[in-house]
Amino acid sequence: MTVRTAVAGASGYAGGEVLRLLLGHPEVEIGALTAGGNAGARLGPLQPHLVPLADRVLVETTAETLAGHDVVFLALPHGHSGEIAAQLGPDTLVIDCGADHRLSNAQDWERWYGSAHAGHWPYGLPELPNGRDKLKGTKRVAVPGCYPTVSSLALAPAVEHGLITDDVVVVAVSGTSGAGKSLKTNLLGSEVMGSLSAYGVGGTHRHTPEIIQNLSAVAGRRVNVSFTPVLAPLPRGILATCTAPLTGTGNVREVYERAYADEPFVYLLPQDQWPTTAAVLGSNAVHIQVTVDEDLQRLVVVAAIDNLTKGTAGAAVQSMNIALGLPETAGLSTVGVAP
Amino acid sequence: MTVRTAVAGASGYAGGEVLRLLLGHPEVEIGALTAGGNAGARLGPLQPHLVPLADRVLVETTAETLAGHDVVFLALPHGHSGEIAAQLGPDTLVIDCGADHRLSNAQDWERWYGSAHAGHWPYGLPELPNGRDKLKGTKRVAVPGCYPTVSSLALAPAVEHGLITDDVVVVAVSGTSGAGKSLKTNLLGSEVMGSLSAYGVGGTHRHTPEIIQNLSAVAGRRVNVSFTPVLAPLPRGILATCTAPLTGTGNVREVYERAYADEPFVYLLPQDQWPTTAAVLGSNAVHIQVTVDEDLQRLVVVAAIDNLTKGTAGAAVQSMNIALGLPETAGLSTVGVAP
Amino acid sequence: MTVRTAVAGASGYAGGEVLRLLLGHPEVEIGALTAGGNAGARLGPLQPHLVPLADRVLVETTAETLAGHDVVFLALPHGHSGEIAAQLGPDTLVIDCGADHRLSNAQDWERWYGSAHAGHWPYGLPELPNGRDKLKGTKRVAVPGCYPTVSSLALAPAVEHGLITDDVVVVAVSGTSGAGKSLKTNLLGSEVMGSLSAYGVGGTHRHTPEIIQNLSAVAGRRVNVSFTPVLAPLPRGILATCTAPLTGTGNVREVYERAYADEPFVYLLPQDQWPTTAAVLGSNAVHIQVTVDEDLQRLVVVAAIDNLTKGTAGAAVQSMNIALGLPETAGLSTVGVAP
Amino acid sequence: MTVRTAVAGASGYAGGEVLRLLLGHPEVEIGALTAGGNAGARLGPLQPHLVPLADRVLVETTAETLAGHDVVFLALPHGHSGEIAAQLGPDTLVIDCGADHRLSNAQDWERWYGSAHAGHWPYGLPELPNGRDKLKGTKRVAVPGCYPTVSSLALAPAVEHGLITDDVVVVAVSGTSGAGKSLKTNLLGSEVMGSLSAYGVGGTHRHTPEIIQNLSAVAGRRVNVSFTPVLAPLPRGILATCTAPLTGTGNVREVYERAYADEPFVYLLPQDQWPTTAAVLGSNAVHIQVTVDEDLQRLVVVAAIDNLTKGTAGAAVQSMNIALGLPETAGLSTVGVAP
């Protein structure tokens, strides 16, 4: 079986990572590569690491250029996927790496993104309870945000088994590629290197409602999440520290071991070993460690992902595999590039 | 007035930073420089940035070599200050950059450091309520740990004015120099660059009891602090994210403005501007911003310091200035080296 | 004596570094701060490390706003200094941190910069032979480029004493701040971190004719220089590797020792110690080491500076000090901020 | 065909990279993993990115533990390969990632490494003229050093076609992993980040004779190479700037195009695009660009590799593929992990 794929937004970081993974996927053929402002340009200078595609020319992102593919990956700025997706046929598997179809609640969408809600699609995080079932055979996938991916996987087992209260605090430190290739002063190398900064503080980051949506769905009730993202000087990687008061005396480690025993990409580290983002660089792995602060009776979970791989493009490919009935791990790896 | 100073542990990061600041201090003369394994070596190759001291030769750290100075800075590994300090005369101002004299409770010391308690000295964080008074005229100063400095200053006004509950969460991201010049694999550049990692998770980092001690003293009751440090790829700087549920409806910003209005080194940023560690690099400044997560009614404070300056050597010099009745800001600056 | 200064281009990296140094200068008062697109804004959010100036408001860069100061620093994009300088009175000391007045040959200027030549001013590199004399009492200073500074100081003694042939190769590795605060994709943190790249290869970088001008003036004949700059992942610092065949058997080290014996900012390292840019960060120091490749009979000189300090703003302040008859080292330091 | 492999030195950076590549190789089975001081330990904490091998236990590096494999990769400190290799049977393919068998001249070896010469093996750089032939069917491979790989490939076509004189200058900037996992102060993250430094200056780096050996073999006469390595703050990657005077008027670009037209891993970039190490991270690709400095009539070549992949482990696997008659690109990629 050869799956013919197209990537919209091929000159950005998310699009580039989708292409990097597709180049290593055994059952995929790469068709149209589209862009906005970069349409007409060769891919080579824009994504110099994708040597086999260097001579490909980017075309405009339109329903026409994207037509005729089995799978279309949308790696577009938030708010741009809805319209183009609506023009793609119901038989095309459309995988939206942007935020447009993540939130189920239209009011949430409008509050946080300030535009009309494009709708809610099956959510590309198969490791959540019943997450895999929603993706089998689907023709539409909303790829999770990078922070919601790592935070939800860090906390879902504890929430599902009632180990913690609803008073969750997440502080997640991220590399800069999560902000995309945007030309903003605060993203310049001179500003980023040697510096740490917080942003979207006080519950104002747009990934907040998505984390709450995920954990509340697992809990069957509203879970509150105080979420603060921190920007650190590295290109890729997110390390999330997640904590909440324990409710009782369940065996925390056992719960996590059971939850992820059969997951190909979630790796609960042996005791006393803590996650590092270097270990997951370029891989689809999630490294997790759990512990209990005995003095405070608090759960503390630390989890690491590569924001561009498991946090975006890896989840997109994993979801494609499930949706099409391919082996879930095809084209994906748990082996990071370190040091 | 010329103050004659000695620095024990002059080849390490803390000792080097003390020397960097003393070289710019208008009323200080630099006397003996001592070391352990590096005794006998020239300072130049060990601290190549301290050009004016390049030809100084390090001597053994003993009571004899440290005698005859007005001020002795101890920048020694934890557990090594007590014995040497006991041999220094009562008229010498001894400033301990290590942990030995920070904790007031001997049982806490023994639990966290595993050795006999050396005693409790006036604490070198003048910005805490009544903090300055304890330092005036003192002959002994315990310089705070870097994480306790930034965390305590971020939270003290809220704690003092009863704005938050006792359920505090601090996640602090740090550069690598806080770990000293130790030859450990996880501190190698190849391991650190491009990676984020958590350590001392679950309330096990030794700065935890010191943060609790500070905030509990301010509150007049036990304050619980869940503290997690994260290591990030930069040499200097700590960014702390501190959060706790609000207790009521006090005007948070006003409380912080009043608390730090007259502090020369604490800078409450204008609204909508968030701290970055680059802005405080090499300076004694603390940059703070506060906000309220309205959905959750949680206080979120973000604060940045340079762990080697305000977090260690700057606090040492500031404490010296206060103890000796010099201008508090002598030899110190609020101007960072950026970008 | 209080010198009243203005800084044009106060929101950029060069302007910010001039201000950082002026804040520590004992005889300077900071007057007008001007900008282009940022006029009207507070300085605080643009230069968060300059806390004492945070509430200053930037004004338009015009002859009027810059009038009434003893010294005007121009930290403007190349090609913008000539016109504004022409409008400043002959009694004002004008210090141009840009390239406009560096090249003596109008044809060179036109070839490399593509515009009309603004003229040639005394060159702010006092450590060159007779360099200091040209600056005493001058009212116009052309601050050298960062690469020419480090390359010229690395090679001038060898050229002056005829130790090497005219076939010089310089490869200089630089941090990113040399490129300014420009919003270019290749300067984004995500692109820069974890990467090395060469640019301006093949003798096409605009600093090439300036290096050749300097060394040819020292030699009294044309010196050829193959110059290649490399961009590395750090905010500040240049390390230049400079090599040329030896012509004879002169004592290389002795020549360098004599050349820089009395220079307050040039530090010839003791044998076996090699320069690092960390050691000069934020300082006006130049660290140099020389050696001979015995197999090839080649001179190899390695030199390090902070491109924003000795490479730009430090040279500007040093030149101001000389021009005004102030102590040459006022407001400047040889002490770096490390690690 | 399944090739059974062993890796000696599995806990180091070179060994870890060999394992990372072998995990993605379609025809390889991973057998014994051996170590020195780490024997007895699980691989997981030492190489946390190699999740599928986390539970493997390291055994002592001996002829016995390495016996019974088709291929043995030696990733040992210099000087340790000779003895163990001598004990491995003549039918085992032994691939030495260390320096021991690279130099053909015993006197050179003794001068540069100070021990007895272990002998000279076929050299694992198939892209050199006739390089591939020497590897077909061989049972012994000396993997090139990282600097010699990038420098030799950058210059071989020019040398082979007589385009340049014998007066070559190479300045190569490298990430820190080339120095291995050694516990040295100058390799600590705090020292490396934010700093550039040169080392092995003046023709004293041990890779110098290897570069000269390679280029001299291509030229058929002695080629002189002035080589200076520079350490920069990134974990992986080497960017080499190579220059020499042109001898005549050959079409440089054409020569390079022809030289590498059929090479699967060498990518001569389109004109005006310059190599970056980010683009080759984790890949076996070599990115090259050539130009002529018209003023000086000098060739300038810039080339980028990942020092751990094409510079070490990738070359090892590529050589294995050739030696065993497998597809040369099996388990290797030209696709980098960027940004």
Side-chain angles (χ1 to χ4, degrees), chain C residues 112 199-205 208 226-229, chain D residues 274 291-296 298-300 302:
Chain C
W112 292 90
Y199 68 107
V201 186
T204 64
H205 191 283
T208 306
S226 164
F227 170 61
T228 308
Chain D
W274 289 89
T291 193
V292 168
D293 183 325
E294 295 289 352
D295 286 2
L296 304 181
R298 266 190 171 274
L299 178 75
V300 189
V302 176

Side-chain angles (χ1 to χ4, degrees), chain C residues 30-52:
Chain C
I30 298 175
L33 307 184
T34 81
N38 287 314
R42 286 176 62 252
L43 189 67
L46 297 163
Q47 306 277 23
H49 60 303
L50 303 177
V51 174

Side-chain angles (χ1 to χ4, degrees), chain B residues 51-142:
Chain B
V51 175
L53 301 172
D55 293 326
R56 290 288 196 90
V57 174
L58 297 169
V59 295
E60 287 272 355
T61 303
T62 65
E64 288 68 40
T65 58
L66 295 172
H69 299 86
D70 302 313
V71 185
V72 173
F73 293 92
L74 301 178
L76 303 171
H78 299 319
H80 287 65
S81 303
E83 196 183 330
I84 195 83
Q87 303 174 54
L88 299 171
D91 294 342
T92 308
L93 172 53
V94 184
I95 299 181
D96 185 4
C97 298
D100 297 31
H101 303 91
R102 291 176 193 158
L103 296 184
S104 57
N105 185 307
Q107 283 176 308
D108 274 357
W109 175 268
E110 283 157 28
R111 173 183 166 195
W112 291 89
Y113 290 87
S115 60
H117 190 217
H120 182 224
W121 288 357
Y123 192 71
L125 196 50
E127 295 88 354
L128 286 183
N130 309 313
R132 202 161 267 112
D133 293 342
K134 295 171 192 161
L135 295 170
K136 288 181 185 159
T138 184
K139 290 297 179 186
R140 294 292 184 269
V141 176

Side-chain angles (χ1 to χ4, degrees), chain B residues 7 13-23 73 75 97 312-313 316-317:
Chain B
V7 176
Y13 290 147
E17 184 74 352
V18 169
L19 288 170
R20 183 178 75 83
L21 296 175
L22 294 182
L23 281 166
F73 293 92
C97 298
T312 308
V317 170

Side-chain angles (χ1 to χ4, degrees), chain D residues 76-320:
Chain D
L76 303 171
H78 299 319
H80 286 66
S81 302
E83 197 184 329
I84 196 84
Q87 304 174 54
L88 299 171
D91 294 342
T92 309
L93 172 53
V94 183
I95 299 181
D96 185 3
C97 298
D100 297 31
H101 302 91
R102 292 176 193 158
L103 296 183
S104 58
N105 184 307
Q107 283 177 308
D108 273 357
W109 175 268
E110 283 158 27
R111 173 182 166 196
W112 291 90
Y113 291 87
S115 61
H117 190 217
H120 182 225
W121 289 355
Y123 193 70
L125 197 50
E127 295 88 352
L128 286 183
N130 308 314
R132 201 162 268 110
D133 293 342
K134 296 173 192 159
L135 295 169
K136 288 182 184 158
T138 184
K139 290 298 180 186
R140 294 291 184 269
V141 176
V143 176
C146 50
Y147 291 121
T149 295
V150 67
S151 308
S152 302
L153 294 179
L155 290 165
V159 167
E160 187 185 10
H161 292 82
L163 299 182
I164 54 174
T165 74
D166 294 351
D167 192 22
V168 170
V169 175
V170 174
V171 177
V173 190
S174 175
T176 54
S177 59
K181 246 184 218 183
S182 334
L183 292 179
K184 295 180 183 159
T185 301
N186 71 313
L187 297 177
L188 287 176
S190 299
E191 302 288 319
V192 166
M193 292 184 292
S195 196
L196 298 163
S197 56
Y199 68 107
V201 187
T204 64
H205 191 282
R206 286 168 166 179
H207 284 180
T208 305
E210 191 181 338
I211 303 172
I212 291 173
Q213 171 177 296
N214 291 348
L215 296 182
S216 298
V218 171
R221 66 176 187 282
R222 165 86 182 191
V223 175
N224 289 320
V225 180
S226 165
F227 170 60
T228 308
V230 172
L231 198 67
L234 68 171
R236 288 175 177 237
I238 298 182
L239 189 93
T241 299
C242 311
T243 177
L246 287 171
T247 48
T249 55
N251 186 321
V252 166
R253 188 163 181 92
E254 209 176 284
V255 164
Y256 275 77
E257 275 171 357
R258 248 183 300 125
Y260 293 129
D262 299 326
E263 285 299 338
F265 295 114
V266 183
Y267 179 47
L268 181 68
L269 291 169
Q271 276 173 312
D272 298 323
Q273 192 183 339
W274 289 89
T276 69
T277 61
V280 298
L281 192 137
S283 93
N284 205 47
V286 186
H287 287 197
I288 296 185
Q289 183 58 286
V290 291
T291 193
V292 168
D293 183 325
E294 295 289 352
D295 286 2
L296 304 181
Q297 284 302 301
R298 266 190 171 274
L299 178 75
V300 189
V301 189
V302 176
I305 62 166
D306 183 321
N307 56 299
L308 286 182
T309 320
K310 180 57 179 169
T312 308
V317 170
Q318 185 182 357
S319 298
M320 173 190 80

Side-chain angles (χ1 to χ4, degrees), chain B residues 13 176 182 187 189-191 193 233, chain D residues 13 176 187 189-191 193 233:
Chain B
Y13 290 147
T176 53
S182 336
L187 296 177
S190 299
E191 302 288 319
M193 293 184 291
Chain D
Y13 290 147
T176 54
L187 297 177
S190 299
E191 302 288 319
M193 292 184 292

